[in-house]
């Protein structure tokens, strides 16, 4: 059963998304008249989702649970993308991932550890629950930092991205990467609404960093898949890379994150140098 805090998060998410849908996107004609609220009104969302305004209002207030058909209609009305739709269902307790989270720190899967060791010119590490960094290869250490020197409680990717660390400084487009990181963490928070350690991580970072606090309250969500970014190495300069994520079939709570470069580019040569000599 979905608890009150999770229903409140569901209501906050609905309000945020409702405010982002323009009247035109919602199929309304304003006739040029100014509107007092951004986005759609509650009654407009309710009408298009074929539910009562009172019921939708209580959903936004976190007072009632929603059925899967209602959630599906709301996802259409609010023009949710795939990630946002998954997040909506998980907040409502309709996703399979809303399971209890063990408190102990994970241990990296043996197969992932072997794969890391075999990736010579590809920086990579394994992230677990709450984006804990569980293992890494020597090229990732050369690209970012020696993760082994980081105290285990701080060996967390989100923590490293929002504190003064080599990982934060290593992202040339930090704000873009930071937003994505927060959106991915919020997706994970929906899967584990009762995870006390994750809640504490969010609380501490919200107090420490204004960007984190702002992006967390925006309720943007994103799955950890892949993309393109620019990294910065103190000796080799900027490196244009693509990053991708592989899910461990034996333990879906562990993901292998890798950075690769287009063949024949300076970025590929930079990664090769990192793998051979640590960037020196």
């Amino acid at each position: 059963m979905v608890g009150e805090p999770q229903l409140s998060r569901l209501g906050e998410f609905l309000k945020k998304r409702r405010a982002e849908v323009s009247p035109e996107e919602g199929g309304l004609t304003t006739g040029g008249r100014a509107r007092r609220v951004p986005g759609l009104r509650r009654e407009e969302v309710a009408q298009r989702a074929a539910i009562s305004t009172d019921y939708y209002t209580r959903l936004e207030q976190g007072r009632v649970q929603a059925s899967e058909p209602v959630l599906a209609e709301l996802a259409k009305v609010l023009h949710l993308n795939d990630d946002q739709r998954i997040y909506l269902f998980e907040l409502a307790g309709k996703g399979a991932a809303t399971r209890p989270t063990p408190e102990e720190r994970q241990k990296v899967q043996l197969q992932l550890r072997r794969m890391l060791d075999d990736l010579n010119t590809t920086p990579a590490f394994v992230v677990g629950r709450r984006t804990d960094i569980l293992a890494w290869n020597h090229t990732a250490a050369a690209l970012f930092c020696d993760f082994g020197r980081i105290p285990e409680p701080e060996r967390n990717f989100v923590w490293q991205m929002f504190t003064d660390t080599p990982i934060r400084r290593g992202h040339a487009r930090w704000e873009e990467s930071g937003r994505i990181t927060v959106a991915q963490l919020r997706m994970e928070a929906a899967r584990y609404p009762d995870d006390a350690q994750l809640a504490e991580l969010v609380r501490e970072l919200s107090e420490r960093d204004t960007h984190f606090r702002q992006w967390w309250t925006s309720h943007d969500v994103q799955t950890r898949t892949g993309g393109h970014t620019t990294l910065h190495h103190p000796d080799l300069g900027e490196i244009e890379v693509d990053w991708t994520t592989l899910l461990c079939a034996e333990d879906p709570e562990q993901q292998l994150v890798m950075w690769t470069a287009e063949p024949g580019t300076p970025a590929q040569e930079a990664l090769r140098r990192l793998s051979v000599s640590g960037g020196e």
Side-chain angles (χ1 to χ4, degrees):
M1 184 173 179
V2 184
E4 291 183 5
Q6 195 75 336
L7 288 178
S8 295
R9 296 186 189 104
L10 173 64
E12 292 171 3
F13 181 67
L14 289 173
K15 285 186 284 188
K16 288 285 185 179
R17 299 289 79 85
R18 174 168 63 86
E20 293 180 351
V21 181
S22 68
E24 292 74 19
E25 289 175 321
L28 301 173
T29 55
T30 62
R33 296 187 301 273
R35 292 166 62 92
R36 291 183 296 176
V37 296
L40 300 178
R41 300 187 180 96
R42 284 175 173 171
E43 57 267 25
E44 293 167 344
V45 173
Q47 181 181 7
R48 280 153 183 76
I51 57 179
S52 71
T53 301
D54 177 67
Y55 179 66
Y56 179 75
T57 299
R58 285 184 289 152
L59 276 176
E60 283 199 356
Q61 294 173 341
R63 295 165 52 198
V64 295
Q65 297 186 42
S67 65
E68 291 190 21
V70 168
L71 293 172
E73 287 303 313
L74 289 174
K76 294 178 184 178
V77 173
L78 298 176
H79 296 275
L80 301 187
N81 61 32
D82 290 344
D83 288 348
Q84 291 169 336
R85 190 178 188 279
I86 292 171
Y87 181 70
L88 177 70
F89 274 71
E90 288 179 343
L91 285 177
K94 308 301 181 182
T98 54
R99 53 188 180 277
T101 307
E103 293 298 320
E104 70 276 5
R105 187 178 178 89
Q106 293 165 280
K107 300 297 182 183
V108 64
Q109 284 284 319
L110 177 60
Q111 293 85 348
L112 290 182
R113 175 71 268 179
R114 291 171 178 168
M115 187 180 296
L116 278 175
D117 294 338
D118 287 340
L119 291 171
N120 296 320
T121 61
T122 302
F125 57 56
V126 176
V127 294
R129 291 186 297 269
R130 316 174 194 98
T131 72
D132 287 338
I133 300 172
L134 306 181
W136 55 92
N137 63 10
H138 76 282
T139 310
L143 177 60
F144 292 112
C145 64
D146 183 355
F147 296 100
R149 293 178 178 269
I150 301 174
E152 191 172 272
E154 298 177 10
R155 202 180 298 155
N156 174 280
F157 187 72
V158 178
W159 181 267
Q160 294 293 311
M161 281 289 288
F162 285 90
T163 52
D164 186 20
T165 66
I167 289 183
R168 175 170 180 154
R169 295 190 295 271
H171 284 77
R173 300 200 298 265
W174 177 79
E175 287 201 13
E176 176 185 318
S177 299
R179 284 179 179 272
I180 292 173
T181 301
V182 174
Q184 292 169 347
L185 186 68
R186 185 167 270 288
M187 181 72 83
E188 186 161 352
R191 298 187 185 107
Y192 302 105
D194 301 320
D195 189 335
Q197 293 183 42
L198 195 154
E200 179 64 15
L201 175 66
V202 171
R203 185 193 66 78
E204 289 190 28
L205 288 176
S206 295
E207 292 178 353
R208 292 175 64 106
D209 192 280
T210 56
H211 286 96
F212 181 92
R213 183 167 60 252
Q214 175 187 347
W215 297 336
W216 182 259
T217 56
S218 72
H219 287 260
D220 291 330
V221 291
Q222 183 171 325
T223 54
R224 189 178 297 112
T225 52
H228 183 83
T229 192
T230 304
L231 301 178
H232 177 79
H233 189 271
D235 298 320
L236 301 179
E238 292 193 349
I239 307 173
E240 294 285 335
V241 293
D242 297 303
W243 64 275
T244 191
T245 304
L246 301 180
L247 192 68
C248 178
E250 292 191 15
D251 184 357
E253 294 178 344
Q254 295 192 26
Q255 296 175 311
L256 178 68
V257 184
M258 302 179 293
W259 290 264
T260 61
E262 185 178 347
T265 62
Q268 185 188 45
E269 175 60 20
L271 295 185
R272 188 198 66 79
R273 289 180 58 187
L274 286 171
S275 68
V276 173
S277 60
E280 298 178 0

